[in-house]
Amino acid sequence: MPTPATLQALRAFVEARNWDQFHTPENLAKSISIEAAELLELYQWGSTPDQDRVEEELADVVTYCIHLANKLGVDLDDIVMRKLESTEQKYPVELARGRMTKYTELQQHSEEEE
Amino acid sequence: MPTPATLQALRAFVEARNWDQFHTPENLAKSISIEAAELLELYQWGSTPDQDRVEEELADVVTYCIHLANKLGVDLDDIVMRKLESTEQKYPVELARGRMTKYTELQQHSEEEE
Amino acid sequence: MPTPATLQALRAFVEARNWDQFHTPENLAKSISIEAAELLELYQWGSTPDQDRVEEELADVVTYCIHLANKLGVDLDDIVMRKLESTEQKYPVELARGRMTKYTELQQHSEEEE
Amino acid sequence: MPTPATLQALRAFVEARNWDQFHTPENLAKSISIEAAELLELYQWGSTPDQDRVEEELADVVTYCIHLANKLGVDLDDIVMRKLESTEQKYPVELARGRMTKYTELQQHSEEEE
């Protein structure tokens, strides 16, 4: 991911504006945080936001994620799948089922229950 | 995006742990911000971080973005492409070329230069 | 704010470690976001976190805010009070009472109700 | 911190608008992250932002920090000083001087150098 068409469109957008000079990994990392907070703002007071606005802000986050993956020379599906494998190890089904305990406390939590 | 295989793997991960109950849109929006900040932390002091760690943190951000898109019933490529169209309008090539001025100030900036 | 004793202790901490070189306004701004997300993480799944941990993470956010104010040569009480005056203008009591509508939509919201 | 006058003014602002109902610790934690990102946005592309805008965004972050401390029944100076004591332990001067290595890696880093 994304599809070649999306990736191509995003690259052309940046190239036409000569913005590649601003797209350092650090600036893209900042941008992802900034856009993530704009998404969060829609839920600031616990309300149910308009779906169109959620989609727009989510799109902004993902757009910068694609730019960063592009810079790093990695494919998003690849890194998501690789990370999933390590997360599966950290959160074994039998321990993690039905609760959101951080993996660093999961084993201990489990032992206390016995 | 993502590929059907990635989407399927993420869904199976959540289902096996019965975590769907925690994956409200609001909790996912918080999670995206939290993971985005962990990515940003790698650049906190301006250093050049280890690529493996950047990939892992980026993967975490994108994973929650996929979960949220899934909840919303939208495809990430679709919303990214739709947002790109509106961003292209806000940042016309002739005005935005080579500078990072926010679109709300771009027209004014341009007029001042004339 | 803070008290002279707190400010003095924070400055001495940084000086003893020769960290002033890393405390650029930009790095401090990143640090505030990073620590804010660690605070948010305590509420990631909607749980009621341990008060000690909330205090610690809040302390981290405020510590970096003090460092940044120090760099900027401003007093936090001063800027908070100055900002409050402008916020009071944006959110007149008669319009804002009992609702969290963004000020840009507040006037319109009010007119629709009449 | 803050001064009694600032605290009083902030409380009166909230009370007049009947906003206390929205100021749950979780909503305040979200608000701190959201405002921190608005501060970060001023440094998004590495530029040197206008000081007035930095002061305004920093004021927003600190305002919500004061509201949260108020909810928790703690004083910001107290928790900052308490946290500083534990940070001093994690970053001993002889190991941390002149470098920004995370405390979890600091001891190891030190041993490798010998």
Side-chain angles (χ1 to χ4, degrees):
Chain A
M1 85 173 116
T3 67
T6 305
L7 186 56
Q8 177 49 31
L10 289 176
R11 279 176 171 161
F13 174 84
V14 170
E15 204 174 305
R17 282 154 191 81
N18 197 18
W19 280 0
D20 195 61
Q21 57 185 313
F22 303 112
H23 280 200
T24 63
E26 180 175 341
N27 286 351
L28 293 171
K30 280 183 275 175
S31 302
I32 291 168
S33 265
I34 292 162
E35 298 297 343
E38 294 189 8
L39 173 62
L40 184 63
E41 193 183 357
L42 301 175
Y43 299 94
Q44 184 170 11
W45 306 112
S47 50
T48 305
D50 182 63
Q51 167 129 354
D52 284 353
R53 295 184 63 189
V54 177
E55 291 180 13
E56 277 188 44
E57 300 301 346
L58 178 58
D60 284 339
V61 178
V62 174
T63 296
Y64 281 119
C65 289
I66 294 171
H67 285 311
L68 181 51
N70 194 17
K71 278 279 161 191
L72 298 171
V74 295
D75 176 75
L76 287 178
D77 275 289
D78 288 351
I79 64 173
V80 165
M81 286 300 283
R82 211 178 312 138
K83 185 62 194 278
L84 181 60
E85 281 168 39
S86 87
T87 309
E88 283 172 335
Q89 307 277 328
K90 283 182 187 167
Y91 294 92
V93 170
E94 63 275 17
L95 291 183
R97 192 165 173 82
R99 66 177 158 212
M100 277 306 188
T101 307
K102 204 168 181 175
Y103 72 95
T104 45
E105 297 161 19
L106 203 55
Q107 195 67 43
Q108 182 194 342
H109 195 109
S110 151
E111 283 161 6
E112 281 168 5
E113 279 187 357
E114 282 170 28
Chain B
M1 90 174 110
T3 67
T6 305
L7 186 56
Q8 176 50 30
L10 288 176
R11 280 176 171 161
F13 174 85
V14 170
E15 203 173 307
R17 282 154 192 80
N18 198 18
W19 281 0
D20 195 61
Q21 58 185 312
F22 303 112
H23 280 202
T24 63
E26 181 176 342
N27 286 351
L28 294 171
K30 281 184 274 174
S31 301
I32 291 169
S33 265
I34 292 163
E35 298 297 342
E38 293 190 9
L39 173 62
L40 183 63
E41 192 183 359
L42 301 176
Y43 299 94
Q44 185 171 9
W45 307 111
S47 51
T48 306
D50 182 64
Q51 167 129 356
D52 284 354
R53 294 183 62 189
V54 177
E55 291 179 13
E56 277 187 43
E57 299 300 347
L58 179 58
D60 284 341
V61 177
V62 174
T63 296
Y64 282 119
C65 290
I66 294 170
H67 285 311
L68 180 52
N70 193 17
K71 279 278 161 193
L72 299 171
V74 296
D75 176 76
L76 288 178
D77 275 288
D78 287 351
I79 65 173
V80 165
M81 286 301 284
R82 212 178 310 138
K83 184 62 194 277
L84 182 59
E85 280 168 40
S86 89
T87 309
E88 282 171 336
Q89 308 277 328
K90 283 183 186 167
Y91 294 92
V93 170
E94 62 277 16
L95 290 182
R97 191 167 174 80
R99 65 177 159 214
M100 277 306 189
T101 307
K102 203 168 180 174
Y103 73 96
T104 45
E105 297 161 21
L106 203 56
Q107 196 64 45
Q108 180 194 347
H109 194 110
S110 151
E111 281 161 7
E112 281 168 5
E113 278 187 358
E114 280 170 31
Chain C
M1 86 174 116
T3 67
T6 305
L7 186 55
Q8 176 50 30
L10 288 176
R11 279 176 172 162
F13 174 83
V14 170
E15 204 174 306
R17 282 154 192 79
N18 199 18
W19 280 359
D20 195 62
Q21 57 185 313
F22 302 112
H23 281 201
T24 63
E26 179 175 344
N27 286 351
L28 293 170
K30 280 183 275 175
S31 301
I32 292 168
S33 266
I34 292 163
E35 298 297 344
E38 294 189 10
L39 173 62
L40 183 63
E41 192 183 357
L42 301 175
Y43 300 93
Q44 184 169 11
W45 307 111
S47 50
T48 305
D50 182 64
Q51 168 130 352
D52 283 353
R53 294 184 63 187
V54 177
E55 291 180 14
E56 277 188 44
E57 299 302 345
L58 179 58
D60 284 340
V61 178
V62 175
T63 295
Y64 281 119
C65 290
I66 294 170
H67 285 311
L68 181 52
N70 194 17
K71 279 278 161 192
L72 298 170
V74 296
D75 176 76
L76 288 178
D77 275 289
D78 287 351
I79 64 173
V80 165
M81 286 300 284
R82 211 178 312 139
K83 185 61 195 276
L84 181 60
E85 282 168 38
S86 88
T87 309
E88 283 172 336
Q89 308 277 328
K90 283 181 187 168
Y91 294 92
V93 170
E94 62 277 17
L95 290 183
R97 192 166 172 80
R99 66 178 159 211
M100 278 305 189
T101 307
K102 204 168 181 174
Y103 73 95
T104 45
E105 296 161 21
L106 203 55
Q107 195 65 45
Q108 181 193 343
H109 195 110
S110 150
E111 282 161 7
E112 280 168 6
E113 280 188 356
E114 281 170 29
Chain D
M1 84 176 118
T3 66
T6 305
L7 185 56
Q8 176 50 30
L10 289 176
R11 279 176 171 161
F13 174 84
V14 170
E15 204 173 306
R17 282 154 192 80
N18 198 17
W19 280 359
D20 195 62
Q21 57 185 313
F22 303 112
H23 281 202
T24 63
E26 179 175 343
N27 286 352
L28 293 171
K30 280 184 274 174
S31 301
I32 291 169
S33 265
I34 292 163
E35 298 297 342
E38 293 189 11
L39 173 62
L40 183 63
E41 192 183 358
L42 301 176
Y43 299 94
Q44 184 170 11
W45 306 112
S47 51
T48 306
D50 183 63
Q51 167 127 356
D52 284 354
R53 295 183 62 189
V54 177
E55 291 179 12
E56 277 188 43
E57 299 302 345
L58 178 58
D60 284 340
V61 178
V62 174
T63 296
Y64 282 119
C65 290
I66 294 170
H67 285 311
L68 181 52
N70 194 17
K71 279 278 162 192
L72 298 170
V74 295
D75 176 75
L76 288 178
D77 275 288
D78 287 350
I79 64 173
V80 165
M81 286 301 284
R82 212 178 310 139
K83 185 62 194 277
L84 181 60
E85 281 168 39
S86 88
T87 310
E88 282 172 336
Q89 308 276 330
K90 282 182 187 168
Y91 294 92
V93 170
E94 61 276 17
L95 290 183
R97 193 166 172 80
R99 66 178 159 213
M100 277 306 188
T101 307
K102 203 168 182 176
Y103 73 96
T104 45
E105 296 161 20
L106 203 54
Q107 195 64 45
Q108 180 194 346
H109 194 108
S110 151
E111 283 161 6
E112 281 168 4
E113 278 187 357
E114 282 170 28

